[in-house]
């Protein structure tokens, strides 16, 4: 198990001559990055929903407005406090561009106080293809022996095995 963006897996391969070990580096494919943008402005969500396309706001159900854009392909959850959650970016540069885009869009619609103050990455979602079949019950047993916190696998409730790592902090789902 690896460090940072790299994961190293040790595989045991049985051959007729001898046992050999193969180390393989597996690159993640980032599918989504979630970021929290602070604009420093109080926002009128009803006004935003009226002025901006593809924006919904139902104050009886939620305390936020949701804006979906096609270019950039992103979803913005906008709060009255001026915080905006951005989802849909595939890399950090896209997340920054999405943040600049929403600030510019809000400024062009009359929200002059909006500024790109701070952007914090909240979550990465990534997939890995190990290239072989994973037996989830066997994996659960192996991980339970190695780590204090047992992985969760209830095949009749959820089709995957969920494992929470403390260092690096990560939630892993195996399917």
């Amino acid at each position: 198990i690896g460090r940072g963006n790299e994961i190293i897996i040790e595989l045991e391969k049985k051959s007729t001559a001898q046992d050999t070990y193969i180390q393989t580096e597996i690159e993640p494919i980032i599918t989504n990055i979630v970021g929290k943008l602070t604009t420093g402005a109080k926002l009128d969500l009803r006004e935003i929903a009226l002025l901006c396309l593809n924006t919904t706001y139902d104050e009886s159900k939620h305390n936020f407005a949701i804006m979906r854009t096609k270019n950039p392909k992103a979803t913005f959850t906008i709060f009255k406090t001026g915080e905006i959650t951005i989802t849909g970016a595939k890399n950090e540069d896209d997340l920054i561009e999405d943040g600049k885009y929403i600030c510019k869009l809000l400024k062009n619609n009359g929200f002059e106080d909006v500024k790109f103050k701070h952007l914090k990455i909240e979550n990465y979602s990534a997939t890995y293809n190990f290239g072989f079949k994973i037996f989830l019950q066997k994996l659960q047993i192996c991980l339970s022996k190695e780590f204090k916190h047992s992985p969760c696998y209830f095949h009749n409730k959820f089709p995957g095995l969920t494992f929470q790592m403390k260092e690096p902090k990560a939630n892993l789902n195996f399917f």
Side-chain angles (χ1 to χ4, degrees):
I1 307 227
R3 306 160 231 51
N5 284 343
E6 99 187 23
I7 289 199
I8 300 171
I9 304 293
E10 288 186 24
L11 304 175
E12 185 176 329
K13 183 179 178 182
K14 304 264 183 195
S15 66
T16 53
Q18 64 184 18
D19 291 344
T20 58
Y21 294 93
I22 303 167
Q23 279 195 333
T24 308
E25 284 193 26
I26 301 171
E27 289 292 321
I29 299 168
I30 295 176
T31 56
N32 186 32
I33 301 175
V34 178
K36 185 194 271 185
L37 172 66
T38 304
T39 65
K42 300 290 181 197
L43 300 173
D44 182 348
L45 301 180
R46 180 177 288 164
E47 192 73 17
I48 291 171
L50 291 172
L51 293 172
C52 300
L53 294 174
N54 301 316
T55 305
T56 59
Y57 174 59
D58 184 351
E59 63 186 313
S60 65
K61 291 184 181 179
H62 308 291
N63 62 347
F64 54 84
I66 297 175
M67 179 188 298
R68 291 179 173 84
T69 59
K70 290 185 179 178
N71 190 15
K73 187 170 168 105
T75 300
F76 304 95
T77 306
I78 306 166
F79 296 90
K80 291 178 185 179
T81 60
E83 290 190 349
I84 301 172
T85 301
I86 305 168
T87 59
K90 303 290 184 203
N91 59 55
E92 293 170 3
D93 291 337
D94 287 350
L95 185 67
I96 293 167
E97 289 302 314
D98 293 349
K100 290 178 181 176
Y101 172 82
I102 189 67
C103 286
K104 183 177 179 181
L105 183 69
L106 291 173
K107 275 188 174 189
N108 289 343
N109 281 289
F111 296 92
E112 300 296 327
D113 295 341
V114 170
K115 292 180 179 63
F116 188 105
K117 282 196 164 187
H118 180 72
L119 179 64
K120 179 183 177 193
I121 294 175
E122 296 285 326
N123 187 37
Y124 284 94
S125 295
T127 61
Y128 298 90
N129 184 350
F130 291 104
F132 57 88
K133 190 173 183 176
I134 298 172
F135 295 94
L136 297 178
Q137 289 174 328
K138 289 182 181 181
L139 180 61
Q140 180 184 23
I141 293 167
C142 291
L143 290 173
S144 296
K145 289 178 183 177
E146 287 290 323
F147 298 96
K148 290 179 184 177
H149 299 296
S150 295
C152 296
Y153 178 56
F154 302 105
H155 59 84
N156 25 344
K157 291 187 177 182
F158 181 67
L161 180 141
T162 302
F163 180 65
Q164 292 182 339
M165 293 178 60
K166 291 206 175 205
E167 195 59 44
K169 185 177 178 186
N171 289 330
L172 306 175
N173 291 315
F174 295 90
F175 295 94

